[in-house]
Amino acid sequence: MAVVNEGALKKMLKQYKYRDLSVREITNVILQYKDLKPLMDAYVFNDGSTRDLMSLTGTVPVSYRGNVYNIPVCLWLLDTYPYNPPICFVKPTSAMMIKTGKHIDANGKIYLPYLHEWKHPQSDLYGLIQVMIVVFGEEPPVFSRPTTQAPYQAFQAAGPPNPSYMPGMPAVSPYGSTPNPGGYPGYQYPAGNSYPAAGGPAHYPTQPPVSAAGPNRDGTIGEDTIRASLISAVSDKLRWRMKEEMDRAQAELDALKRTEEDLKKGHQKLEEMVSRLDQEVSEVDRNIELLKRKDEELSEALEKMENQSENNDIDDVIVPTAPLYKQILNLYAEENAIEDTIFYLGEALRRGVIDLEVFLKHVRLLSRKQFQLRALMQKARKTAGLSDLY
């Protein structure tokens, strides 16, 4: 598995508007296709302007007729990626030639409906490469460059040769000097009938072809050979198309399984949340019932107290639970009574009811008594484990 340095990618993509999204997609692609390498380079647009862009350059594996071929590609990411599609090219080596078609132009630029209908987040780099692999598996974008030429005349057949040849093989036919468009060696079969046209004589090579059924004695290709070759080609085509469909279906099944797992996890979380909410609702209902009962008890007690308020003695209403608490209560009441007495003595002095000498005498006695009560009350509270009052 390839090691991806996300920190280095973020530095390379520092001018990109959606850097984190781009880094995440590039990392995912590199982990799946380790031959693709991220590079920063200058891209020249059609108007001559240049801009430093990120490119993924390398090869992608393409399955064609039972063999896997590494197709060299280059994917340029604009600085507005992933909201604009990449600019994709096939980059053939010196031993390859571009095979133009409806998806590839002479410059190697790739045209796909997936690029034309690009829309984030439904479209991404991984999906684009998957589509390329499928399209290139049906119509290879490159073929091997011809290197040698046979010294004998090619077999002339009616109609054009079959264009769907395997890339990456020597582009020389064992029957003549005209190379196949796709570079795949083999017999040149006509598009319609399996025999040369009747309008003119057919020319065959002097060297007998090698076939499974064997050539006829006069050097011509036998009908059994042609039939066997056609059956073999069609069987290979069907077999690998079936394999591609199975692979695609398996990929979709894996994606659905992952989605199912995510949904199950989400469903479990929702059930847990609903269960917690039910418990909280039950707890709230219990608390409401408890508060209602307490409110009724308080209302009854208040009503009872209002009915008996005229006959109640305040000393009988408050009954401490222990003798120590009763002592603290009596000390507190006496101390507050002395406080009130000193206040009213001050009022009497102010109004001239008593003179200063009488005021000071009584205040001195009461203050001494109040101090003793407070000291005793503090000691009793400490013994009872209560906090200090002063």
Side-chain angles (χ1 to χ4, degrees):
M1 183 65 69
V3 179
V4 182
N5 190 339
E6 293 188 5
L9 283 177
K10 289 183 177 180
K11 290 182 180 180
M12 296 168 70
L13 299 174
K14 59 183 179 180
Q15 81 278 14
Y16 276 55
K17 295 181 180 179
Y18 311 102
R19 183 182 65 176
D20 293 339
L21 292 175
S22 301
V23 169
R24 184 159 58 249
E25 289 199 17
I26 292 172
T27 301
N28 183 37
V29 168
I30 294 176
L31 290 176
Q32 299 295 329
Y33 302 98
K34 61 182 181 180
D35 290 336
L36 293 176
K37 307 297 181 184
L39 299 172
M40 289 297 295
D41 203 352
Y43 180 79
V44 181
F45 292 90
N46 294 334
D47 57 1
S49 61
T50 60
R51 185 179 301 172
D52 289 335
L53 298 178
M54 166 66 70
S55 68
L56 289 177
T57 304
T59 60
V60 293
V62 174
S63 177
Y64 185 78
R65 291 192 178 182
N67 294 318
V68 177
Y69 299 91
N70 293 321
I71 303 299
V73 296
C74 180
L75 313 179
W76 293 90
L77 307 184
L78 299 175
D79 54 6
T80 54
Y81 184 85
Y83 290 93
N84 289 103
I87 303 174
C88 307
F89 290 88
V90 173
K91 294 185 66 176
T93 63
S94 58
M96 300 180 183
M97 294 183 65
I98 295 175
K99 181 182 178 182
T100 58
K102 63 179 181 179
H103 300 299
I104 307 293
D105 65 9
N107 295 322
K109 189 172 183 179
I110 300 172
Y111 299 90
L112 294 171
Y114 192 87
L115 291 171
H116 182 70
E117 300 170 359
W118 184 275
K119 184 178 181 182
H120 180 77
Q122 289 80 7
S123 305
D124 57 15
L125 275 178
Y126 184 74
L128 172 61
I129 295 176
Q130 291 292 313
V131 172
M132 283 186 183
I133 291 174
V134 174
V135 172
F136 293 167
E138 296 178 354
E139 185 179 351
V142 294
F143 61 93
S144 297
R145 187 183 297 276
T147 56
T148 59
Q149 184 172 352
Y152 44 82
Q153 189 174 359
F155 169 73
Q156 302 293 330
N162 191 339
S164 57
Y165 297 104
M166 184 182 301
M169 303 293 289
V172 179
S173 169
Y175 282 94
S177 61
T178 303
N180 291 337
Y184 178 68
Y187 302 114
Q188 295 185 358
Y189 302 123
N193 299 326
S194 300
Y195 299 97
H203 302 278
Y204 304 104
T206 57
Q207 180 182 357
V210 179
S211 63
N216 294 338
R217 294 184 179 275
D218 57 358
T220 61
I221 301 174
E223 183 179 354
D224 294 338
T225 301
I226 296 176
R227 183 182 298 108
S229 299
L230 288 175
I231 292 174
S232 176
V234 171
S235 299
D236 290 342
K237 182 77 172 178
L238 291 176
R239 183 167 56 253
W240 291 110
R241 284 298 298 273
M242 184 180 299
K243 183 178 181 300
E244 291 173 359
E245 292 296 331
M246 290 180 63
D247 292 341
R248 187 183 299 110
Q250 185 63 39
E252 293 178 356
L253 183 60
D254 293 340
L256 290 175
K257 286 183 178 179
R258 289 194 297 269
T259 304
E260 182 184 10
E261 293 176 358
D262 294 339
L263 290 175
K264 286 182 178 179
K265 292 179 181 178
H267 180 68
Q268 184 177 0
K269 290 182 179 179
L270 288 175
E271 287 184 343
E272 293 175 356
M273 293 174 62
V274 170
S275 177
R276 288 198 302 268
L277 288 175
D278 290 340
Q279 294 176 359
E280 292 178 0
V281 169
S282 301
E283 185 69 22
V284 170
D285 291 339
R286 287 195 297 269
N287 291 334
I288 291 174
E289 292 296 328
L290 179 61
L291 289 175
K292 285 182 179 179
R293 290 195 299 270
K294 294 296 182 182
D295 183 65
E296 292 175 357
E297 293 176 1
L298 289 174
S299 299
E300 293 176 357
L302 182 60
E303 184 178 357
K304 184 177 180 181
M305 293 294 293
E306 289 177 352
N307 294 333
Q308 298 177 357
S309 59
E310 297 179 356
N311 301 325
N312 286 338
D313 184 4
I314 190 65
D315 294 331
D316 296 334
V317 172
I318 301 176
V319 180
T321 59
L324 183 59
Y325 293 154
K326 184 176 182 180
Q327 183 184 7
I328 293 173
L329 177 62
N330 292 334
L331 291 172
Y332 185 77
E334 190 174 353
E335 191 268 335
N336 278 276
I338 292 175
E339 187 75 23
D340 293 341
T341 303
I342 293 174
F343 173 77
Y344 284 110
L345 284 173
E347 288 293 316
L349 177 64
R350 185 177 63 81
R351 295 180 181 181
V353 177
I354 61 175
D355 57 11
L356 180 60
E357 185 178 355
V358 174
F359 173 78
L360 292 176
K361 179 181 177 180
H362 286 84
V363 168
R364 189 181 302 110
L365 295 173
L366 293 173
S367 297
R368 186 180 296 112
K369 180 66 174 177
Q370 186 181 31
F371 175 77
Q372 293 174 354
L373 292 172
R374 286 186 177 180
L376 184 58
M377 184 168 56
Q378 287 288 85
K379 185 176 180 180
R381 290 180 65 88
K382 185 176 181 181
T383 303
L386 302 175
S387 61
D388 294 338
L389 188 61
Y390 303 103

